[in-house]
Amino acid sequence: MSGLQLLNPNSDSAGISQARLINISAATSIQNLLKSNLGPRGTLKMLVSGAGDIRITKDGNTLLNEMQIQHPTAALIARTATAQDDITGDGTTTTVLLIGEMLQQANRYLFEGLHPTLIIEGFYLAKAEAKKYLEKMREEMKEKVKIDREILVSVARTALQTKLYPELANKMADIIVDAVQTVKIGDNPIDLHMVELMHMQHRMDVETQYVNGLVLDHGARHPDMKREAKNCYILNCNVSLEYEKSEVHSSFQSNSAEKRKQLVDAERHVVDEKVRKIIDLKNLVCDDDSKSFIVINQKGIDPISLEMFAKAGIIALRRAKRRNMERLALACGGVGVNSVDELTPDVLGFAEHVYEQIIGEEKYTIVEGCKHPHSCTILLKGPNRHTIAQVKDAVRDGLRAVKNTIDDGSIIPGAGAFEIALHNHLMKYAETIEGRTKLGVKSFAEALLVIPKTLAQNSGFDTQDIIIKLQEKYQKGQLAGLDIYTGDAVDPIQAGVLDNYVVKLQTIEAATFTATQLLYVDEILKAGRAQKPQKTLEEDME
């Protein structure tokens, strides 16, 4: 009986050997679950919720978030991997595979009686050396590869091909690079929230398009307003063009119908005066029929005001979302106004083409042709919501990958080439370390090979043949990545298979930390509920 059970008889505990076996088994289980998803030729998982909703995906972050993982060790690994996605936008599956493989490699020496502290010390030495090597490769790639549009497209394509089929991935890569370059303003941090992801359940996924402007998920509210306009001046406003409601519950009483009419007319006059000021601005800037005027209002517009706008030839949209108003100012220019007093043409934005598209019962207003946009929209299309959800997940990863590349100013070779190079470097480094600590460094190095091995396995090739082929090419002084279609060793830079520096760095940090913490565990304690105090004889009699 353990000390905990003496303190609490309802508790349970697992000893040192059993605790390590439980942790390693859990890590291996979640590793095997996600292993088949890695790479462009990885398979898909079908998630079925309790309500019967189906989601088909191979995105590691989606799977780990939506699966109901009960095992505490597996849940810990899942949280580590999803945190990786939150920080860098990629590397979820890689982190899970690396944690599982590091524990399996360590387990070989644990069974032979090696103390886990020595393995952990080796892991930390290997991590420090790996970070130095990664930084060295980053600097080499900075000098060797210039970050231009072609490189950014390759980075986006690498991220997308793991989740989308090649034809769609190639098209989306160009769209994503256009979007990120649009929202990049000088040396300021890139704000990906200024890229609007709008979806239409319409046609095929390859018809997804980049809109150099904004897509609003509603249309004009008056039947006489135009559905398409060219050379449009856009007023971005947050002004109430309807009867104002009092902020507190209140009422007005009048003792005659005439006084009530005066009250209504006075309130109507206030709203009409606001509308007339907007119409006057329209007449000032639109001096011929080739120009149009559009009002996009964050607040409401009542039917009478809509009628006045329609007669003046103005297209009016009401109750636009706040985030769209912010994007509209960045996309079309101009300034958002909170009052119609002293309106000038300087506050107006401009777009070459504004039109409305109706799909079923849904209306969309598309604003495009902006001159100097700093916000844009990716209009996702697909025949069903499963396809749209899958494309949306992939696009988010692609946007983060391109942003990371611009922020890092460098790239890292993909296709398993970095892992092969780091494995060889760490094996040489292990020979410089004295004592049994070198076994921990070798375990770390061997664990890195899980990435090229899994890529080979998922592509239908023999893992040992591929590893030998890649290592032989690397020994000749060349970068060696796996061509998943032919099984040959290729230069990933020339093949355009590129990864992010920050993703590799975070993967090494997260995997090492989690694996070492699990190796430190020598007992698992499961405490039961505290026992209730027994009732006395007098209380029972009551």
Side-chain angles (χ1 to χ4, degrees):
M1 181 179 289
S2 69
L4 178 67
Q5 288 175 316
L6 288 173
L7 298 173
N8 185 353
N10 291 334
S11 65
D12 192 12
S13 64
I16 182 168
S17 58
Q18 189 180 1
R20 287 187 186 133
L21 186 60
I22 290 172
N23 287 339
I24 293 171
S25 297
T28 305
S29 297
I30 196 169
Q31 176 193 15
N32 292 335
L33 180 69
L34 297 185
K35 205 170 190 178
S36 60
N37 297 349
L38 187 71
R41 303 189 77 175
T43 54
L44 298 171
K45 296 283 189 294
M46 179 185 288
L47 284 173
V48 184
S49 70
D53 294 330
I54 297 174
R55 184 157 188 185
I56 300 174
T57 183
K58 63 192 293 189
D59 183 52
N61 185 51
T62 302
L63 289 168
L64 295 175
N65 274 321
E66 298 194 8
M67 284 191 306
Q68 296 180 355
I69 299 175
Q70 301 293 332
H71 196 285
T73 304
L76 173 66
I77 295 172
R79 285 196 297 270
T80 302
T82 52
Q84 158 92 11
D85 188 89
D86 294 339
I87 296 168
T88 64
D90 202 1
T92 312
T93 305
T94 303
T95 302
V96 171
L97 295 186
L98 199 52
I99 292 171
E101 193 66 20
M102 288 170 74
L103 291 175
Q104 287 186 51
Q105 292 293 333
N107 196 37
R108 293 167 46 200
Y109 296 109
L110 292 176
F111 269 121
E112 294 174 3
L114 185 65
H115 197 277
T117 305
L118 294 172
I119 297 178
I120 291 167
E121 186 180 344
F123 278 0
Y124 280 130
L125 288 173
K127 182 188 79 169
E129 188 65 22
K131 289 169 66 177
K132 290 179 184 176
Y133 185 79
L134 179 62
E135 185 64 33
K136 177 185 173 186
M137 180 171 281
R138 177 193 183 187
E139 296 301 324
E140 289 177 358
M141 289 297 121
K142 268 188 179 180
E143 297 177 3
K144 185 177 180 181
V145 180
K146 181 183 177 183
I147 303 299
D148 54 14
R149 179 180 172 81
E150 183 181 353
I151 293 297
L152 293 177
V153 170
S154 296
V155 170
R157 188 186 299 114
T158 302
L160 292 171
Q161 281 185 339
T162 59
K163 299 174 178 67
L164 303 175
Y165 59 92
E167 182 185 356
L168 181 58
N170 291 335
K171 179 174 182 178
M172 294 302 301
D174 286 307
I175 290 175
I176 284 171
V177 173
D178 288 337
V180 175
Q181 290 182 331
T182 297
V183 301
K184 185 178 184 297
I185 306 174
D187 295 329
N188 296 330
I190 298 172
D191 184 5
L192 293 181
H193 288 100
M194 290 301 104
V195 180
E196 169 79 353
L197 298 182
M198 183 66 69
H199 64 270
M200 289 182 181
Q201 193 166 322
H202 175 60
R203 297 187 177 179
M204 300 300 293
D205 50 9
V206 290
E207 295 183 45
T208 294
Q209 67 186 83
Y210 166 75
V211 178
N212 187 24
L214 200 64
V215 178
L216 306 172
D217 54 357
H218 52 276
R221 300 306 298 245
H222 195 282
D224 293 339
M225 290 180 180
K226 294 187 293 185
R227 296 295 180 258
E228 184 174 5
K230 298 286 183 70
N231 299 323
C232 307
Y233 290 96
I234 298 175
L235 177 62
N236 176 1
C237 58
N238 182 22
V239 179
S240 179
L241 298 176
E242 59 185 351
Y243 288 147
E244 290 281 3
K245 294 181 180 179
S246 60
E247 294 183 2
V248 295
H249 180 67
S250 60
S251 62
F252 295 90
Q253 295 181 353
S254 57
N255 54 13
S256 68
E258 184 179 349
K259 289 184 177 180
R260 181 184 179 280
K261 185 176 182 302
Q262 289 176 353
L263 179 66
V264 172
D265 290 344
E267 194 169 7
R268 182 72 251 168
H269 176 74
V270 172
V271 178
D272 289 349
E273 193 62 31
K274 294 178 183 178
V275 175
R276 288 191 189 96
K277 289 180 179 179
I278 295 174
I279 294 174
D280 290 342
L281 180 62
K282 182 260 181 185
N283 294 332
L284 178 64
V285 297
C286 298
D287 48 10
D288 56 52
D289 293 338
S290 65
K291 298 175 181 177
S292 303
F293 197 90
I294 296 173
V295 176
I296 300 179
N297 193 17
Q298 190 174 334
K299 292 183 178 177
I301 306 175
D302 63 21
I304 299 175
S305 300
L306 286 171
E307 180 71 24
M308 294 174 67
F309 282 138
K311 287 181 178 179
I314 296 174
I315 301 173
L317 283 73
R318 65 185 183 186
R319 306 201 187 284
K321 296 182 179 70
R322 181 179 175 183
R323 58 185 172 83
N324 283 337
M325 304 304 284
E326 295 172 1
R327 292 189 179 110
L328 187 66
L330 286 170
C332 303
V335 180
V337 296
N338 296 315
S339 171
V340 294
D341 296 331
E342 299 180 0
L343 285 177
T344 63
D346 296 336
V347 302
L348 299 176
F350 182 82
E352 293 178 358
H353 191 199
V354 177
Y355 61 96
E356 185 179 291
Q357 186 171 353
I358 302 175
I359 300 173
E361 297 180 357
E362 302 290 333
K363 287 184 179 181
Y364 299 89
T365 299
I366 301 175
V367 181
E368 61 183 6
C370 305
K371 290 183 178 178
H372 303 289
H374 293 300
S375 179
C376 60
T377 303
I378 298 176
L379 187 56
L380 306 172
K381 296 184 180 181
N384 52 60
R385 57 192 181 90
H386 303 301
T387 302
I388 291 172
Q390 191 174 352
V391 174
K392 188 177 286 189
D393 288 340
V395 168
R396 287 199 180 101
D397 288 352
L399 288 170
R400 293 288 295 273
V402 175
K403 175 184 179 294
N404 290 338
T405 303
I406 295 173
D407 291 343
D408 296 338
S410 179
I411 49 91
I412 299 297
F418 171 73
E419 286 77 12
I420 291 290
L422 183 56
H423 168 266
N424 281 272
H425 177 77
L426 289 178
M427 294 301 281
K428 292 177 182 177
Y429 172 69
E431 299 304 322
T432 65
I433 299 172
E434 297 181 356
R436 290 180 293 174
T437 306
K438 69 169 61 178
L439 299 177
V441 179
K442 289 185 176 180
S443 296
F444 190 102
E446 291 293 337
L448 291 168
L449 294 180
V450 70
I451 305 302
K453 282 180 180 178
T454 305
L455 288 172
Q457 185 177 351
N458 291 346
S459 303
F461 301 114
D462 183 80
T463 56
Q464 297 301 327
D465 286 346
I466 294 298
I467 294 299
I468 291 171
K469 191 181 296 184
L470 295 180
Q471 287 180 331
E472 286 176 349
K473 183 169 183 178
Y474 180 77
Q475 296 296 338
K476 296 177 183 178
Q478 301 174 0
L479 286 172
L482 172 64
D483 186 329
I484 59 171
Y485 299 104
T486 64
D488 295 330
V490 296
D491 185 340
I493 305 297
Q494 295 179 359
V497 184
L498 309 174
D499 283 338
N500 293 135
Y501 163 79
V502 68
V503 174
K504 295 295 185 186
L505 178 64
Q506 185 64 27
T507 299
I508 292 170
E509 287 277 6
T512 306
F513 177 79
T514 306
T516 52
Q517 291 300 303
L518 292 175
L519 286 174
Y520 266 128
V521 174
D522 65 350
E523 191 171 7
I524 297 176
L525 309 175
K526 185 178 180 181
R529 292 183 179 179
Q531 287 184 318
K532 295 180 180 179
Q534 294 182 354
K535 291 183 178 181
T536 63
L537 183 61
E538 290 80 12
E539 288 174 335
D540 285 337
M541 291 177 66
E542 290 176 2

